[in-house]
Amino acid sequence: MATTPYSKTDKTIAYLNRQYARMFRRVTSFDELNVIEASREVYDEAYTLAEREATRLAEVIYKDHSKEERVFDAAGFVLALILAYNPVTKYVFKNEIDRKRARFAEGLIASDTPHEEIERAKRLLAATNAQFMDDVTFDTMVTAFRDNGTRYVRWVTSPDDRRCKVCAAMDGKRYPIDRVPPKPHIHCRCWVTEEADTN
Ligand SMILES: [Zn+2]
């Protein structure tokens, strides 16, 4: 697979998935009465971990795309994204995690097959977090370019198996840095490159 700005994102996602596997294994050892409490603990831990790893990722992505060394409040930047409505996913990340936790607890109590509920919840949480890490990567990239003083960027669709069919029409299009369109769909792995000023 070709190297893209998401190579480091993939490493973060893989790390998080290993951690989630570990956390959800713990739920299986709780009895029914403790399910609500156990699910709260797991999702609180998952959320804290996602915030920490997203901050680390934003720090690295910002540095990789900056022309000079600058101070960047990665934690503040990530927290703002966590609490903002995302036009691509159509939810606020923090609220979505809370909803997922509530559904998981409900499902676990009602289900005759708790193991399946756990697997399903783990998969859904992993997908939500992976999407968030993609969004952090893209938004951090654009912010670093803006801080570089770059005025225009060019849209690039992923060259590998994750190429977005929806985005093919945007490939190579030029946008003013303050009018970079939101990702057209979830799982979009497009990015932007800096354009030299032509005037
Ligand atoms: Zn795309």
Side-chain angles (χ1 to χ4, degrees):
M1 203 197 274
T3 303
T4 77
Y6 294 94
S7 300
K8 284 170 180 164
T9 318
D10 283 332
K11 284 197 183 124
T12 300
I13 291 168
Y15 169 76
L16 285 173
N17 288 348
R18 285 196 301 276
Q19 296 304 311
Y20 297 152
R22 177 182 60 76
M23 285 180 225
F24 275 92
R25 259 199 305 276
R26 235 168 37 206
V27 183
T28 49
S29 61
F30 282 84
D31 62 43
E32 204 175 287
L33 286 171
N34 290 323
V35 157
I36 303 279
E37 189 50 37
S39 69
R40 191 181 299 281
E41 275 173 24
V42 167
Y43 279 74
D44 280 353
E45 194 180 336
Y47 168 77
T48 304
L49 190 67
E51 183 177 11
R52 190 190 76 197
E53 291 306 310
T55 300
R56 279 187 188 161
L57 182 64
E59 271 165 12
V60 172
I61 298 285
Y62 189 85
K63 208 170 179 208
D64 284 354
H65 294 85
S66 292
K67 279 184 180 150
E68 70 226 33
E69 212 161 301
R70 280 188 303 260
V71 177
F72 174 58
D73 176 17
F77 185 79
V78 164
L79 187 61
L81 284 179
I82 282 173
L83 300 174
Y85 178 76
N86 182 322
V88 183
T89 59
K90 313 282 186 207
Y91 57 64
V92 174
F93 178 74
K94 180 78 167 74
N95 297 346
E96 181 65 9
I97 297 296
D98 289 343
R99 280 190 290 268
K100 280 199 158 41
R101 177 179 56 73
R103 278 194 218 112
F104 175 57
E106 277 171 17
L108 211 49
I109 289 164
S111 178
D112 298 328
T113 51
H115 186 72
E116 281 174 25
E117 291 296 323
I118 290 168
E119 282 306 308
R120 188 170 152 273
K122 191 170 69 185
R123 220 171 39 240
L124 292 174
L125 184 65
T128 302
N129 278 294
Q131 180 63 40
F132 184 66
M133 298 305 149
D134 281 1
D135 294 336
V136 166
T137 303
F138 186 81
D139 287 7
T140 303
M141 220 182 306
V142 172
T143 298
F145 290 161
R146 187 185 296 117
D147 292 351
N148 284 342
T150 296
R151 292 167 62 207
Y152 292 96
V153 292
R154 204 169 280 278
W155 195 272
V156 183
T157 57
S158 181
D160 53 31
D161 56 325
R162 300 189 68 159
R163 178 189 285 275
C164 312
K165 288 185 178 65
V166 187
C167 305
M170 290 168 80
D171 193 30
K173 279 213 171 123
R174 188 173 178 255
Y175 297 99
I177 188 83
D178 288 323
R179 263 174 287 166
V180 177
K183 297 279 195 78
H185 59 96
I186 59 163
H187 305 313
C188 172
R189 276 283 176 106
C190 293
W191 68 90
V192 289
T193 54
E194 292 174 291
E195 274 292 292
D197 271 347
T198 46
N199 50 337

